[in-house]
Amino acid sequence: MPLILEEIASPQQKQTIERYFQTFNNGDFEATAALFSETGQMKPPFEELIEGTEAISAYLHREAEGMQAYPQEVAGEQADDRSQITVIGQVKALVFKVNTAWIFKINATGQIDFVRIKLLASLQELLPLRPQS
């Protein structure tokens, strides 16, 4: 289902968000990372902040292989010279599916300066997902 971004995003920002999900779902993590600015940052759930395209690509190869992201809703606001666009949807992995929010900060050139990936689940839903020691 295509996201309706026209009302809250510039054409460049719309293209960046669409490419983010397309490249992520295709497992083309180098292309996903290339959407970030040189000092772009990703904040995945339960992880430290990841900075730079090489580190983001390496993280995605290590942690996101086989995952699929299903964006469903979008909201946005303009702040300074960047837009903050929140996409709500789901992530499906081999053994789970979880509601997720991606909070993008996209600069005027259409590059991602920051994305926070937030799981929208209760503690009871998340506990079975933790790695067993």
Side-chain angles (χ1 to χ4, degrees), residues 67-118:
M67 289 187 182
Q68 293 289 292
Y70 300 99
Q72 298 166 340
E73 300 174 37
V74 65
E77 60 187 58
Q78 193 71 28
D80 301 324
D81 62 342
R82 297 188 298 191
S83 290
Q84 180 170 302
I85 299 168
T86 301
V87 177
I88 307 291
Q90 292 186 325
V91 169
K92 183 179 179 196
L94 295 175
V95 295
F96 67 88
K97 186 182 341 180
V98 64
N99 292 329
T100 306
W102 294 264
I103 303 153
F104 292 93
K105 291 188 179 176
I106 300 177
N107 64 33
T109 64
Q111 293 179 305
I112 302 169
D113 283 334
F114 178 82
V115 64
R116 177 177 179 212
I117 303 161
K118 182 178 176 183

Side-chain angles (χ1 to χ4, degrees), residues 6-124:
E6 284 79 10
E7 295 176 16
I8 60 166
S10 73
Q12 280 182 313
Q13 294 163 336
K14 176 181 183 290
Q15 182 180 15
T16 298
I17 290 173
E18 288 173 347
R19 290 277 304 144
Y20 176 91
F21 288 106
Q22 180 185 43
T23 58
F24 181 91
N25 287 341
N26 289 337
D28 188 356
F29 301 131
E30 288 84 10
T32 306
L35 297 169
F36 286 77
S37 63
E38 189 174 309
T39 58
Q41 300 174 324
M42 174 182 276
K43 177 62 177 94
F46 314 116
E47 300 284 346
E48 296 293 320
L49 190 67
I50 301 162
E51 185 170 344
T53 57
E54 286 184 29
I56 290 168
S57 177
Y59 171 81
L60 292 173
H61 274 287
R62 188 174 61 252
E63 299 294 334
E65 198 69 46
M67 289 187 182
Q68 293 289 292
Y70 300 99
Q72 298 166 340
E73 300 174 37
V74 65
E77 60 187 58
Q78 193 71 28
D80 301 324
D81 62 342
R82 297 188 298 191
S83 290
Q84 180 170 302
I85 299 168
T86 301
V87 177
I88 307 291
Q90 292 186 325
V91 169
K92 183 179 179 196
L94 295 175
V95 295
F96 67 88
K97 186 182 341 180
V98 64
N99 292 329
T100 306
W102 294 264
I103 303 153
F104 292 93
K105 291 188 179 176
I106 300 177
N107 64 33
T109 64
Q111 293 179 305
I112 302 169
D113 283 334
F114 178 82
V115 64
R116 177 177 179 212
I117 303 161
K118 182 178 176 183
L119 302 182
L120 304 177
S122 70
L123 182 58
Q124 289 78 13

